[in-house]
Amino acid sequence: MDNCLDFNAPHSMGTTIVGVTYNGGVVLGADSRTSTGVYVANRASDKITQLTDNVYVCRSGSAADSQIVSDYVRYFLHQHTIQLGQPATVKVTANLVRLLSYNNKNFLETGLIVGGWDKYEGGQIYGVPLGGTIVQQPFAIGGSGSSYLYGFFDQAWKEGMTKDEAEELVRKAVSLAIARDGASGGVVRTVIINSEGVTRNFYPGDQLPLWHEELEPHFSLLDILSSPTPSPMDI
Amino acid sequence: MGSGADSERTLYPYVTGSSVVAIKYKDGILMAADMGGSYGSTLRYKSIERLKPIGKHTLLGASGEISDFQEILRFLDELILNDNMWDDGNSLGPKEVHNYLTRVMYNRRNKFNPLWNSLVIGGVKNGQKYLGMVNMIGINFNDNHVATGLGNHLARPILRDEWNENLTFEEGVKLLEKCMRVLLYRDRSAVNKIQIAKITEEGTTVFPPFSLKTYWEFSAFKNPAASAVGSW
């Protein structure tokens, strides 16, 4: 069957990535699955990569392409920061990402979400999809898992959320996408960026809510069979 | 080649089930499969039963196209029905079911119209345990432990190391759960809702579905890019 283990298949990050602005900063979120064909090459990847102290990027698509783009942007931004004498703005960072994506559009296959905080414009999210378009948005979603989130965000996104509301929205969204997208999975990572700094969070499956047709996890069937009031079909 | 019949060939699968893993143990056969039906990379259906009892002595597990599996169940229903109608005290065992399915799969393959499945057939008859596999191109064999799909690459190495003839029910279940957990971590099309079934001389039991706990607390997982910013 064609689907079998092809270890020479390019490492793709299937992925679900999300970026949301809130009243005071941004929250970025991603799953942690990197696959080579059907094999999960890395179940705990970190797809939210630092570009500067105050700007991070969510990577999706080809693992190699997204890494090289973020490496180049980090390199250019470092020099830019030295010349400028102060932290780079989110807009400049996003445009650097755009330049690389746009000018190499025939070779690259990577969709990125740039998010950060600077003192001029506060929290900002920029989507840079395939082809190198740049679009500033109050929230952005990307990766194969994002297909399952358009309806969710249309309904759940609200202007002027607090930090905790925004983080919960991101966590819920990535978790919902993981439930339905085979190319997304693992843990949910979030990064919160605001005037105070950067906070990284990590949520394994057992800390996320259960969705439709998902069951309470157990160590073993034997525990269920031997327990006095077994109810493995709890819905 | 009939042109009208072309429209009914399975050219590629649509709704697919992932791996099935099965082992012989002290009292019979243990089989495990998750309940997922994937639609490409979408995990569309999460309550598909892929382990089914056949007659009195056999258990069938299937991976691959679900519609073809359902068709196979119809064929087997007819087979068992006709066998019962003879009313001669004999009943088809796992070896016979395996042989029948092998012929069906191979003949379909020869007509370029395969049933897109990998099947695991297990059972006990007259004290004899049997566990076999047949796939869409007609390859078939029997062994002490079998698996389909990615299970061949991920589960069988574990079974080669840890299987022995005298596994108790508890040991067998734990072993299968170990295999299913690895598949959960490393197979994109795996779903965390698992069914285990056992078959012994006494009969078949398909246990209710359950979910497995997974482990993510390695310190390296918390911040993997700490010493190599920008890596994965």
Side-chain angles (χ1 to χ4, degrees), chain A residues 174-193:
Chain A
V174 179
S175 164
L176 281 166
I178 287 175
R180 289 294 183 176
D181 180 26
S184 302
V187 304
V188 178
R189 293 193 197 276
T190 63
V191 172
I192 310 173
I193 312 171

Side-chain angles (χ1 to χ4, degrees), chain A residues 37 112 171 177 187:
Chain A
L112 303 151
R171 200 171 59 230
V187 304

Side-chain angles (χ1 to χ4, degrees), chain A residues 70-84:
Chain A
S70 65
D71 284 351
Y72 269 114
V73 172
R74 195 176 317 113
Y75 168 67
F76 291 137
L77 262 188
H78 187 211
Q79 297 180 322
H80 171 71
T81 309
I82 292 170
Q83 288 182 326
L84 198 62

Side-chain angles (χ1 to χ4, degrees), chain A residues 5-235:
Chain A
L5 292 182
D6 174 14
F7 288 119
N8 293 319
H11 282 28
S12 146
M13 288 182 306
T15 304
T16 307
I17 49 174
V18 171
V20 154
T21 58
Y22 73 92
N23 185 14
V26 299
V27 182
L28 299 175
D31 73 306
S32 71
R33 178 172 284 189
T34 303
S35 20
T36 323
V38 283
Y39 178 65
V40 177
N42 189 346
R43 63 178 170 110
S45 340
D46 185 2
K47 302 182 189 181
I48 310 178
T49 298
Q50 184 185 32
L51 295 177
T52 82
D53 290 341
N54 52 316
V55 187
Y56 280 63
V57 63
C58 296
R59 303 181 288 111
S60 77
S62 156
D65 288 352
S66 66
Q67 280 175 14
I68 204 75
V69 166
S70 65
D71 284 351
Y72 269 114
V73 172
R74 195 176 317 113
Y75 168 67
F76 291 137
L77 262 188
H78 187 211
Q79 297 180 322
H80 171 71
T81 309
I82 292 170
Q83 288 182 326
L84 198 62
Q86 59 184 41
T89 59
V90 188
K91 182 175 275 188
V92 164
T93 312
N95 273 292
L96 277 172
V97 173
R98 172 189 69 85
L99 281 171
L100 282 166
S101 282
Y102 179 72
N103 290 324
N104 295 292
K105 64 161 73 186
N106 293 330
F107 308 109
L108 294 174
E109 193 197 288
T110 172
L112 303 151
I113 297 180
V114 182
W117 183 94
D118 61 45
K119 67 185 186 198
Y120 300 105
E121 306 272 333
Q124 300 141 70
I125 293 280
Y126 294 88
V128 184
L130 259 50
T133 315
I134 184 168
V135 57
Q136 185 180 8
Q137 303 170 294
F139 70 88
I141 56 178
S144 57
S146 66
S147 309
Y148 308 94
L149 297 177
Y150 284 94
F152 174 71
F153 271 91
D154 282 349
Q155 188 250 8
W157 156 260
K158 307 252 177 301
E159 189 77 51
M161 289 188 286
T162 66
K163 180 176 77 144
D164 291 332
E165 285 173 337
E167 216 228 354
E168 206 202 310
L169 184 69
V170 166
R171 200 171 59 230
K172 233 171 144 177
V174 179
S175 164
L176 281 166
I178 287 175
R180 289 294 183 176
D181 180 26
S184 302
V187 304
V188 178
R189 293 193 197 276
T190 63
V191 172
I192 310 173
I193 312 171
N194 52 34
S195 56
E196 276 140 47
V198 177
T199 317
R200 271 192 166 280
N201 287 316
F202 167 88
Y203 301 100
D206 51 302
Q207 288 174 29
L208 299 166
L210 288 173
W211 305 117
H212 181 54
E213 290 194 299
E214 289 184 347
L215 301 174
E216 201 66 60
H218 294 272
F219 282 114
S220 166
L221 173 68
L222 300 170
D223 298 337
I224 305 169
L225 292 176
S226 59
S227 70
T229 43
S231 200
M233 287 290 282
D234 262 350
I235 293 181

